[in-house]
Amino acid sequence: MATAYLSLGSNLGDRLGYLAEAIRRLGAPHTRVTQVSSIYETAPWGKTDQPSFLNMAAAVETDLTPDELLRHILSVEQVLGRVRTVRWGPRTVDIDMLLYGDERRATPDLQLPHPRMANRAFVLVPLLEIAPHLPYREALDALDPAGIDLFMGAEVFQNRTNGVQ
Ligand code: GSY
């Protein structure tokens, strides 16, 4: 059983609904979502003329290998309507595997740790909220925190994901 950390983002349509559905769907097979962060509204990075994102992080416990977990993530993105057209363009949901245990690799489909995570405050703010022990605090302190606003606390989001009103 391994612990993996994921970053999720959405900037099209029912952004919160897409994140909630992604968390529900990530929870199987052979995978359990053990922690979710708060939801943050964040200014778009890369291609800036697009709607703002909702971003969050999640921890999962999984029996899947990194490649199997990647396939699971891609299938959840696909079911939720992600279409990869414009690079860095708008998306219903984007799920990145940031870390998988202590795994280090650089294959074309999957690089671990995620090669750009240390440069993105919209990734590190939610990640360090759920995993303050990870060695990315200095990286976050070096980034501009502007444009990262708390949108919804983790507990409220979890109640929504579990269908509790
Ligand atoms: O890399 C993930 C997709 N993405 C995002 C994102 O999730 N949040 C923000 N704020 N900007 C982004 N630009 C891209 S591409």
Side-chain angles (χ1 to χ4, degrees):
M1 191 72 109
T3 300
Y5 290 96
L6 312 180
S7 169
L8 294 87
S10 171
N11 76 336
L12 274 185
D14 177 8
R15 300 174 302 169
L16 203 52
Y18 281 124
L19 293 179
E21 191 56 28
I23 290 294
R24 259 186 235 114
R25 288 177 180 271
L26 283 168
H30 304 289
T31 301
R32 195 164 64 91
V33 177
T34 53
Q35 274 180 293
V36 295
S37 72
S38 301
I39 309 292
Y40 295 85
E41 180 143 43
T42 68
W45 177 96
K47 189 177 181 309
T48 53
D49 60 336
Q50 58 175 320
S52 62
F53 280 78
L54 293 185
N55 282 113
M56 66 179 295
V60 299
E61 294 283 324
T62 187
D63 286 334
L64 303 177
T65 65
D67 291 299
E68 289 169 340
L69 181 59
L70 178 64
R71 278 199 292 279
H72 179 42
I73 286 170
L74 293 177
S75 76
V76 171
E77 284 186 343
Q78 234 173 15
V79 166
L80 293 182
R82 166 104 193 254
V83 182
R84 290 166 189 266
T85 45
V86 181
R87 188 174 188 215
W88 293 338
R91 63 272 321 267
T92 53
V93 72
D94 179 283
I95 309 168
D96 287 328
M97 196 189 312
L98 303 174
L99 299 164
Y100 179 105
D102 293 331
E103 186 89 4
R104 304 189 78 83
R105 59 186 272 179
T107 51
D109 289 345
L110 182 62
Q111 292 92 51
L112 292 168
H114 188 290
R116 291 173 295 281
M117 62 183 284
N119 303 326
R120 296 182 178 177
F122 68 80
V123 171
L124 293 184
V125 168
L127 177 65
L128 291 178
E129 179 191 319
I130 59 171
H133 61 283
L134 291 173
Y136 290 92
R137 179 66 55 189
E138 273 186 30
L140 177 58
D141 287 345
L143 297 174
D144 182 356
I148 313 276
D149 298 316
L150 183 64
F151 183 84
M152 180 181 280
E155 206 172 312
V156 178
F157 176 74
Q158 253 180 325
N159 288 342
R160 183 190 166 104
T161 307
N162 296 332
V164 178
Q165 297 303 319

